[in-house]
């Protein structure tokens, strides 16, 4: 990036954070924060240390994760299966974790992963069931509604319980979605 584009980014940042400060004072302040480890300032960016960005290869890997999970639908792969299908290599765990944090994927208990869009479809369908008058369902009914095997149904129900979408009461789940 040119010095002009860097200066333009600093102007935008200064305008957003400290519009009344002189440019030199703002640069000094950023340098102080950088030296103290409070921000990471490079030639092109300023970010907090915990912010993670993806390189081109990693961004492509997240796209592959999304494609594999969408193709799998509710047949949630394990993280190991996802790693192989998406060809993630040795950084698989961190890339899958990044995909989860970015809202591309949802982790289920027992090491399973589904696409976030698939998760939202399940929640939406349960909302429809509640609106249609269904108050509870058991594992068999849940499996039938979604065409699932027990391998996926149980972890999915556990995640639904954890998220407050359902509440386990004995062998049944009470739908906790308002119609």
């Amino acid at each position: 990036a040119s010095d002009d584009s860097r200066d333009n980014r600093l102007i935008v940042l200064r305008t957003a954070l400290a519009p009344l400060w002189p440019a030199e004072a703002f640069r000094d302040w950023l340098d102080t924060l950088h030296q103290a480890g409070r921000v990471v300032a490079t030639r092109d960016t300023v970010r907090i240390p915990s912010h993670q960005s993806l390189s081109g290869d990693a961004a492509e890997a997240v796209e592959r994760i999304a494609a594999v999970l969408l193709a799998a639908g509710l047949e949630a792969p394990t993280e190991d299966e996802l790693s192989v299908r998406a060809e993630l290599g040795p950084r698989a765990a961190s890339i899958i974790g990044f995909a989860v944090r970015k809202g591309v994927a949802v982790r289920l208990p027992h090491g399973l992963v589904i696409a976030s869009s698939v998760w939202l479809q399940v929640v939406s369908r349960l909302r429809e069931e509640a609106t249609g008058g269904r108050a509870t369902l058991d594992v068999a009914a849940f499996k039938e509604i979604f065409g699932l095997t027990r391998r996926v149904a149980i972890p999915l129900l556990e995640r639904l319980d954890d998220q407050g979408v359902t509440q386990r009461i004995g062998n049944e789940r009470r739908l906790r979605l308002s119609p």
Side-chain angles (χ1 to χ4, degrees):
S2 70
D3 287 339
D4 288 342
S5 66
R6 181 178 188 268
D7 288 342
N8 287 339
R9 288 186 190 118
L10 283 175
I11 290 169
V12 170
L13 188 60
R14 182 172 57 87
T15 302
L17 297 177
L20 301 177
W21 287 21
E24 192 61 36
F26 186 73
R27 281 190 194 112
D28 290 345
W29 178 68
L30 276 180
D31 287 343
T32 301
L33 289 175
H34 177 73
Q35 290 170 3
R38 304 288 306 269
V39 298
V40 176
T42 65
R43 179 181 169 101
D44 297 323
T45 63
V46 176
R47 64 178 174 81
I48 60 173
S50 62
H51 174 78
Q52 295 178 343
S53 61
L54 291 179
S55 67
D57 290 344
E60 289 174 13
V62 170
E63 289 177 16
R64 289 193 308 272
I65 287 171
V68 167
L69 291 178
L70 285 174
L74 281 170
E75 290 302 316
T78 65
E79 288 193 29
D80 289 341
E81 292 166 341
L82 178 59
S83 174
V84 170
R85 290 184 202 169
E87 301 173 1
L88 300 179
R91 295 181 48 214
S94 64
I95 294 171
I96 292 170
F98 188 84
V100 168
R101 288 189 302 280
K102 290 298 179 189
V104 171
V106 173
R107 277 192 172 113
L108 302 178
H110 310 284
L112 301 180
V113 185
I114 61 171
S116 294
S117 60
V118 173
W119 168 260
L120 293 174
Q121 289 170 357
V122 169
V123 173
S124 177
R125 177 65 193 273
L126 290 175
R127 182 170 281 120
E128 289 173 13
E129 291 289 323
T131 301
R134 183 186 290 261
T136 62
L137 51 81
D138 60 14
V139 174
F142 184 76
K143 286 171 37 180
E144 184 179 321
I145 290 169
F146 293 102
L148 295 173
T149 63
R150 190 169 183 83
R151 178 188 83 84
V152 176
I154 297 301
L156 191 51
L157 281 166
E158 289 175 6
R159 174 71 186 215
L160 290 163
D161 293 343
D162 290 343
Q163 295 298 305
V165 176
T166 57
Q167 178 183 17
R168 184 175 180 177
I169 302 171
N171 291 329
E172 291 189 328
R173 270 21 186 235
R174 181 170 58 98
L175 299 177
R176 297 183 63 182
L177 301 167
S178 52

